[in-house]
Amino acid sequence: MAGETFRGGVEPGHFKYTTEDAVEKMAAPSKVYIPMEQHIGAPCEPVVSKGDKVKLGQKIGGSDSFVSAPIHSSVSGEVVDITEYNHPIGKKAKTIVIESDGQDEADYSGGYDSLDELSSDDIKKIVKEAGIVGMGGATFPTHVKLSPPEDKPIDTVIINGAECEPYLTSDHRMMLEQGEEIVFGLKSIMKAVNCDKGVIGIEDNKKDAIENMKELVKDENNIEVMVFETKYPQGAEKQLITVATGREVPSGGLPMDVGCVVNNVGTAIAISEAIRYNKPSYERVVTVTGPGVNEAGNFKIRVGTLASEVIENCAGMSQNTRKIVMGGPMMGLSQPSPEFPVIKGTSGLLLLTENEVQFFEEKPCISCGRCIDSCPVSLLPNMIAHFTENERLEQAEEYNALDCIECGCCTYICPTKRPLVQYIRMAKGEIMAKRRKN
């Protein structure tokens, strides 16, 4: 039996100003900067060289590792450089720079109209070759998700249409404009993992999307649209499973441990396009929003397009813009400048002005317990942060720091403005680094 809601969470407000803005296709830039790190797992290495001519959708980066995803050119043109360039996670990364010839000569064609011609392994191979990763921002290689071990049978595939982050509306628009592709993608995933039950989960503040998706699956006996309470982080994988199935993913576990696979609506569309049109993952829908941007909206943007060009396409930013965030305000990454490329995991660009950005002095914990009440995975964020501050990482690990989903509820709710999720993120990084050494 499905649960009514999950434990904890917060209500940070919606601010979804672009809900009514249909997706517009942004023109391809004259030059793209495509990083070789766009997914969880092994980064890619270039399979092209400076001076090579490439086509739209041509593979330009690859890896022999199973947990990786190939990278494709988002324009046709010439490779003019392979260099270290700004990456939105806050470092320099190996990047292929391609100058567009404006022709968009494609390297792909064909596809399948029906899943009847394809086996489970065929679908996984297509998804892998297309370089599809989690489009909700997690960027986990999708073919890996679709390949659970034999002792982990899947009985439920969940499509995540919650889009609980404030400001972002790209998933909402895709459910209105590309619903058929989402259903085809869901069926493809179900066939890939040999599963007979599909769920499309949507928060109750997206009534038009709920109606559209229900209409599209009304004759599908094994697919259900489930409506969830609007609450952050409803779209987190483990919370979505709890609400949809009543099951709890165990500490340190994965969705497959409770018979589930979860994918974002954008990922389902990418899978549909890969199967139907043989199209690799080289573009995505991005919400460009916030009081700092002059003309907000939802745009289909080529991977490798600089954020500065995206903002310029939106009539620029206001003079009092103080912060640029890749993603939403709760889990997004602040950027030091707009000179970074859109990647496969870029769901939004959020521009905030001095009216929304406030700086607070961190004060000592007052043991109010609000961070504990809000934590959706039942952690003690105050204690983990305390251990991290005092370099007691073993105790931070004992308090299950690695289970943190980094939703930011604890930092949002803390009355003394302690950067709790940042401390926990630091602990996770150091614990994982220690494990790799051992």
Side-chain angles (χ1 to χ4, degrees), residues 112-124:
Y112 299 88
D113 294 328
S114 168
L115 295 174
D116 294 340
E117 305 171 61
L118 300 170
S119 67
S120 168
D121 287 341
D122 290 336
I123 294 171
K124 294 173 192 173

Side-chain angles (χ1 to χ4, degrees), residues 313-375:
N313 180 67
C314 297
M317 68 175 83
S318 64
Q319 289 186 344
N320 62 343
T321 299
R322 291 293 177 270
K323 180 179 276 190
I324 300 173
V325 180
M326 188 191 82
M330 298 298 287
M331 294 188 71
L333 299 172
S334 295
Q335 302 296 321
S337 87
E339 301 305 318
F340 66 92
V342 168
I343 60 175
K344 295 176 184 178
T346 306
S347 56
L349 293 176
L350 173 61
L351 280 70
L352 301 173
T353 69
E354 56 193 15
N355 294 327
E356 297 80 39
V357 178
Q358 300 179 45
F359 296 94
F360 298 96
E361 181 181 353
E362 178 186 348
K363 297 179 180 177
C365 176
I366 58 174
S367 301
C368 65
R370 293 185 188 179
C371 60
I372 300 169
D373 292 339
S374 69
C375 181

Side-chain angles (χ1 to χ4, degrees), residues 33 35 51-52 137 141 161 164 187 203 212 215 238 266 276 286 298 321 384 416:
Y33 297 74
D52 284 355
C164 57
K187 291 180 178 178
E203 282 188 333
N212 187 50
E215 177 66 21
K238 293 180 180 178
R276 284 175 153 173
V286 180
N298 298 293
T321 299
I384 298 173
T416 58

Side-chain angles (χ1 to χ4, degrees), residues 65-82:
S65 171
F66 180 62
V67 185
S68 187
I71 292 170
H72 304 79
S73 177
S74 58
V75 295
S76 62
E78 180 180 344
V79 176
V80 295
D81 203 0
I82 299 176

Side-chain angles (χ1 to χ4, degrees), residues 21-27 177 285-286 296-301 313:
D21 295 333
V23 177
E24 297 179 30
K25 192 174 180 66
M26 181 179 163
E177 300 175 35
V285 178
V286 180
N298 298 293
F299 302 92
K300 183 166 282 188
I301 298 173
N313 180 67

